[in-house]
Each structure stands twice: as C-alpha cells, then as structure tokens.
Amino acid sequence: MNPFFLLLGPPIVSALLALAVTPYRAIVGWVNAGLSLLPVLAALILWSHLLAGEVVTAGPSEFFRADALSTLLVLCVSVVGALAAWLGPGLGADDGYDARQARRFRVFANLFAFTMLFAVTTNNVGFMWIAVEATTITSAVLIPLHVSKASVEASWKYILIGSVGIALAFAGTVLAYFDFVNVAGRHEAALNWTVLMAAAPSLHPDVVGLAFVFLLIGYGTKAGLAPMHTWLPDAHSEAPAPLSAMMSGVLLAVALYALIRWEAVVQAAVGSAFTDRLLLALGLLSLAIAAFSLLAQRNYKRLLAYSSVEHTGLMCVGLGLGPLGAFATMLHLVNHTLVKSALFFLSGRVLRRYHSTEIARVTGLLRTLPWTGGLFAAGALAIAGLPPFGLFISEFALVRAGVAAGRPWTVALVLGLLAVAFIGVVGHVNRMLYGAPSPGVGAGEGSLWPLVPLGLCLAIVVVLGLTIPAPLERLLVQAAEIAGK
C-alpha cells in the first residue's frame, strides 16, 4: 500500500466515523486509537525508504513527497497524534467530558492531525499554505471544548492573529510565485518546492527577500515567534490537555517546517546572510520575552506555553547559525516534541485532581500524585535543559554552532537567557512538587496506564541525551542539509 494512503487515510476515516455515529459511543474512540497507529507505521516506512536512499513520491508532478525533513515532521506529528488518540477524551473513562464533547474532539482532533500531516508531505507550497491555514480552523474549534469566557476569547484571539499571520504568508507566497513566473514562464508545477529550488538561483534577490520577510512574519506568527506570539499562551492554556500537547508539541514545528522550506529557496536565491540575520533577531527576541515571562507566571499551563515560545526561539536561532546550528535545531525539535507533549498531557492529570491551573493552588504534587508528579518533575528538568536529557545535548550543540559560526555575543546572550528561563521553570515547578497538599485534594493516582506512553517519551529523551542512534542521526543530518545549509 502507498505509505501516503496509510498516513493520511486513517485520520479522515476516524473523523468521519465520529461524525457518523450519533449518539457518540466509546467504541468510536477505541477504533480511532487503533487507527492512529497506522500513520506511525507509515512514518516508519517512509523513514526506511530514506535509509535505503529513496525519497518516496506520489501523485501527479510529485504532489506528495517525503524527503528527510518531511519524514522527520511526519514522525513527530504521527506519534503525538497517536498519543492524543489514546489519551484523549471519548474512551469510556470518567475524563470530565460528555458524549458531545468527546465526539467533537474525535472529529476535529483527527482533522487537525490530517491537516498537519498533509502540510508536511505535500510538495506544493500553495497547498502547504492551505493546510497550515486549515490547522487554525480545526484546532480553534477545540480550544473551548469546555466552554468558558476565557476559552472562547482565547479561541477568537487565536483565529484573528493566526489569520493575519497566514494572510501575510500568502502574500509572501504570491510574491515568490509571480517572480518565478516572470523568470521561468508559466509552469505546470510552478509552486512545487523542488521546482522553486531548481529555479531559485535565477530569481530576483530583492523580490525574493521581500517575500521572505512576509513569510517569516506569517509562518512565524503560527510558530509562536515574538512579537507575534500573543495568541499562544492564551490558546495553549485554555485548550484541553490533548489539544495543547498537539499544538505545542507539533503545530509550532509544522509552522517552522514551512518557514524552513522557504528559507532554503531564499538562501539559494540571495545567500544565507540575509535569512540568518532575520532568524537570529526573531529567535533571540522570542527567547528573551519567553525567559522573562517564565519568571512572572502564575499559571502552570501558561508556563508550559511560554516555554514553547522559548524553545521555538532557540530553534530559530539554530537555523541562523550555519550547518551545525541546523543539525542542533532538528535534534531540538525532536526532543521538544516528546517532552512538551508529555508535559501537557501530565498537566491535564494535575488539572483534573486540583481543579485549578494556578501554581499557588497546586502544592504537594509528589504526595497527591506521586507518579504524575515524578514524571512532571522529570519533564520540567528536561525542558529546563538539564542533563541527562536530550535537550541538554541539543542546546549544547546549538552553543557549539554559535562558537563555530564566530558569534560569541549571540552565544553569551543565549546562555544568559537560558539561565533566566531555567530559574523560572524550576522555581515554579519546585513550588508545585513540595509542601502540604492543597486543602480538599485527595491522594492517589487512579489509572496508571496513561503514564506508560508518557514515561516512554521521557525515556526516549534520556536516551537521546546519551546517544543518537545511527538511523536517527542520518535522518537529522539529511533534514539539516535540506534547510539550505
């Protein structure tokens, strides 16, 4: 079977099944959970083809194409999508959601996963733009799954700011397209990334440079880069935990993927100095705003959201630091996906027990939820960049890339801001873990099986802190090469 059918078919089938079965039945959720493993299998098949030296394509004019960068993102999205399917509402457990909410989650979470998978596998940058826009619609519907004034406002803010960003990305896409047509004439597959890459050296530098500014602001808004990040803390903190995990774990990475695709085209047209300066500026600004915002947080879901802004900024900085920086970015993307999605799922268990997202109202977590609290502590230490977790290695690789690129002041600034972020994350989480349990909060974990996949995610990040398996290293190296380095 074509791996693209295996990748894109199951989310659509699951969404249609949830839509068709009324009233909602738990069997729909379990079928969805089973089908969610097929995209993971498809990702592994695409990966095996890459290891054999083959880039899988499908459709007219190679409409679908899975090179190393696409396969890396497919792997991340499919794994987090499967986690959301197995740990999300609608499996019959007492999870705080009624049948209508569970049905809505199963329909739109699957459509959300489908649009992200489509965005990272289509070779056509126009359809990639449409798919990224569709991620806004499919995810915004789920933010107010528990309807409240704050969740509805967060959803609208996300739609409005995200739409403005995506409109700017459209303007950049159109500018680049017309420049291509002006140079090469009308072409059947003019918006295919591979065609644009081949024609890039002959494009007009000024036009392509202007297009990249629009694309950087546009897709950067979706990726949560400052100063366009203001939608992110509200949306991620008000969304249900499985959606927060998908948004923070992989949606930001998908937007960054779109940016990397265009960065490669622009670098081929105007060289790397122009894009590197812009990426470093926005990356450092994001890192600075996030680091000091982490210190001031009173809400642990917003704490995790600002941590996502911090790490997206770090990845952006890495992209501006040459080949070593691009490799560090790819490794950091994998580590961040695993840790942040696990942390948001764990935050959902904390919220169900404490009925509050306020840090001050969550104390004694290690006594009330010892396993959840332990994993939450491990995830917090990982996201803060401590060894032996993989994020320490990817951040170290990023620093090394900055030194090799001859940017000591950038390295010094990054290290200083990482220290501020470390104090913010560890200080707040420490207050949650210890002390007397909050009044009225009972002790005991309940069902422990949902912790197994989350613990496995953190275990993988520990392994990545000790060694990078050869097949993964080859994938990361090839993905970094695509980033135009």
Side-chain angles (χ1 to χ4, degrees):
M1 179 181 286
N2 188 313
F4 291 106
F5 283 113
L6 208 56
L7 185 71
L8 299 171
I12 291 295
V13 171
S14 297
L16 290 175
L17 182 64
L19 192 65
V21 177
T22 52
Y24 180 83
R25 299 276 189 273
I27 186 66
V28 174
W30 285 109
V31 171
N32 176 197
L35 288 175
S36 71
L37 299 177
L38 295 179
V40 180
L41 175 62
L44 295 175
I45 292 173
L46 292 173
W47 190 1
S48 69
H49 280 284
L50 274 176
L51 292 175
E54 179 189 357
V55 174
V56 179
T57 61
S61 303
E62 296 186 347
F63 185 80
F64 289 108
R65 184 172 182 275
D67 57 18
L69 183 59
S70 293
T71 302
L72 184 66
L73 268 293
V74 163
L75 199 58
C76 293
V77 174
S78 60
V79 167
V80 177
L83 285 174
W86 282 91
L87 304 180
L91 295 179
D94 182 16
D95 50 24
Y97 296 92
D98 61 29
R100 291 182 61 186
Q101 290 170 322
R103 180 168 179 258
R104 182 145 61 106
F105 176 83
R106 293 290 162 181
V107 172
F108 287 99
N110 279 292
L111 292 177
F112 184 35
F114 169 80
T115 51
M116 287 193 287
L117 290 169
F118 189 96
V120 299
T121 51
T122 179
N123 191 24
N124 186 300
V125 294
F127 278 93
M128 178 181 73
W129 177 86
I130 293 171
V132 173
E133 168 66 7
T135 62
T136 306
I137 300 166
T138 51
S139 55
V141 174
L142 288 178
I143 292 174
L145 197 58
H146 281 303
V147 177
S148 65
K149 182 182 177 183
S151 65
V152 172
E153 285 181 356
S155 179
W156 277 111
K157 188 175 181 180
Y158 170 45
I159 291 172
L160 291 173
I161 297 178
S163 297
V164 170
I166 210 68
L168 292 173
F170 178 73
T173 305
V174 170
L175 264 177
Y177 168 73
F178 279 115
D179 190 39
F180 172 84
V181 170
N182 188 42
V183 171
R186 294 193 178 276
H187 191 285
E188 182 184 352
L191 284 174
N192 274 13
W193 180 79
T194 46
V195 174
L196 284 170
M197 280 297 293
S202 59
L203 297 178
H204 294 99
D206 292 340
V207 177
V208 176
L210 179 61
F212 185 70
V213 172
F214 279 105
L215 290 160
L216 178 59
I217 298 173
Y219 286 126
T221 302
K222 192 78 178 178
L225 289 175
M228 301 83 70
H229 68 288
T230 51
W231 63 272
L232 191 150
D234 293 339
H236 289 210
S237 61
E238 292 299 329
L243 180 65
S244 299
M246 295 176 76
M247 293 177 79
S248 202
V250 284
L251 176 61
L252 306 184
V254 169
L256 200 61
Y257 163 91
L259 197 55
I260 292 171
R261 287 290 180 196
W262 278 108
E263 180 205 12
V265 174
V266 176
Q267 284 190 353
V270 304
S272 62
F274 174 71
T275 56
D276 286 352
R277 281 197 298 271
L278 290 175
L279 289 167
L280 285 173
L282 275 190
L284 288 171
L285 179 63
S286 303
L287 185 54
I289 289 178
F292 288 103
S293 298
L294 286 170
L295 290 176
Q297 286 313 300
R298 300 175 185 276
N299 178 310
Y300 57 84
K301 289 193 74 176
R302 291 179 73 87
L303 182 83
L304 298 179
Y306 272 107
S307 168
S308 296
V309 176
E310 173 208 350
H311 288 279
T312 304
L314 266 181
M315 288 185 262
C316 211
V317 169
L319 290 172
L321 291 177
L324 292 175
F327 179 83
T329 294
M330 297 304 150
L331 180 58
H332 202 75
L333 188 151
V334 174
N335 285 319
H336 181 258
T337 293
L338 291 170
V339 176
K340 191 52 66 64
S341 54
L343 276 171
F344 267 112
F345 280 116
L346 291 166
S347 75
R349 290 175 69 89
V350 176
L351 177 58
R352 281 199 299 277
R353 177 56 55 89
Y354 284 84
H355 303 289
S356 174
T357 56
E358 295 296 319
I359 292 172
R361 295 188 177 184
V362 179
T363 55
L365 185 57
L366 285 176
R367 291 165 67 178
T368 55
L369 296 169
W371 287 100
T372 300
L375 290 176
F376 196 80
L381 293 177
I383 214 72
L386 279 183
F389 298 100
L391 282 101
F392 171 78
I393 297 299
S394 51
E395 289 178 1
F396 180 81
L398 190 144
V399 169
R400 180 181 166 217
V403 173
R407 294 184 178 274
W409 288 109
T410 300
V411 171
L413 197 53
V414 166
L415 288 174
L417 292 171
L418 283 178
V420 174
F422 175 86
I423 294 169
V425 171
V426 174
H428 288 310
V429 172
N430 185 59
R431 279 190 285 278
M432 294 171 64
L433 295 175
Y434 299 105
S438 303
V441 177
E445 286 281 359
S447 176
L448 286 175
W449 80 262
L451 296 177
V452 174
L454 304 182
L456 184 60
C457 287
L458 295 176
I460 293 173
V461 176
V462 171
V463 171
L464 292 178
L466 301 174
T467 181
I468 303 175
L472 179 61
E473 185 174 7
R474 284 181 60 186
L475 182 66
L476 295 174
V477 168
Q478 291 177 29
E481 288 173 352
I482 291 169
K485 305 298 180 183

